[in-house]
Amino acid sequence: MLKPPRPLGELEDAVMTRVWKWNRPVTVREVLEDLEQERPIAYTTVMTVLGNLHQKGLVRRQPEGRAYRYEAVSTRAAYAAALMNDAWSQSDNPAAALIAFFGMLSEEQRQALSDAIRIAHGPEAAENPKAH
């Protein structure tokens, strides 16, 4: 992503959740029909949201007849990482921000963080745990 990401609104998140989950180019109609299982929504509303997501750089689109097919530019994980990085980079005290963030984590999240750090350090870290 070129621009710093911004958190998604509720409807943007609902649309992007489907685009990420399906992991293929989607039409407005497909997203609309899935969203309609949860709430009434207009075709033009979904079309506008996908257009906005395209302008924000979250989806790319390819023409198909008189409409478009939309596809995610990156994964949900990459988007979340970019949000975290953007928020962290705005702190005047990054170490304090990380400490505060770590204090908010659940046990499950702390374990996921520990696993991620171990993976990021590569196989040599697993063989020599004191190398960090």
Side-chain angles (χ1 to χ4, degrees):
M1 276 179 226
L2 300 175
K3 301 179 222 172
R6 294 289 165 238
L8 297 172
E10 181 184 341
L11 188 52
E12 289 175 325
D13 184 65
V15 169
M16 280 306 300
T17 294
R18 284 150 178 86
V19 174
W20 281 317
K21 180 177 78 174
W22 295 337
N23 196 28
R24 62 172 173 75
V26 301
T27 64
V28 171
R29 175 79 46 210
E30 289 173 308
V31 175
L32 171 74
E33 288 173 358
D34 201 60
L35 283 170
E36 284 180 325
Q37 295 176 26
E38 298 172 6
R39 64 178 113 179
I41 189 164
Y43 181 94
T44 54
T45 300
V46 177
M47 185 174 63
T48 299
V49 170
L50 281 163
N52 291 343
L53 292 168
H54 177 257
Q55 287 181 325
K56 291 179 178 184
L58 292 168
V59 296
R60 66 175 68 82
R61 66 185 183 190
Q62 292 293 324
E64 183 173 285
R66 296 183 336 180
Y68 291 103
R69 281 202 174 265
Y70 296 86
E71 183 176 18
V73 170
S74 67
T75 64
R76 181 174 212 125
Y79 172 76
L83 280 176
M84 289 187 286
N85 186 59
D86 186 54
W88 187 43
S89 69
Q90 293 181 38
S91 173
D92 60 349
N93 187 338
L98 280 175
I99 291 167
F101 175 70
F102 295 155
M104 296 176 190
L105 298 177
S106 68
E107 182 55 40
E108 183 179 311
Q109 291 169 322
R110 280 195 287 281
Q111 185 59 52
L113 178 62
S114 178
D115 292 345
I117 290 169
R118 189 175 61 257
I119 291 166
H121 281 250
E124 66 279 352
E127 293 169 9
N128 185 7
K130 294 184 182 185
H132 312 220

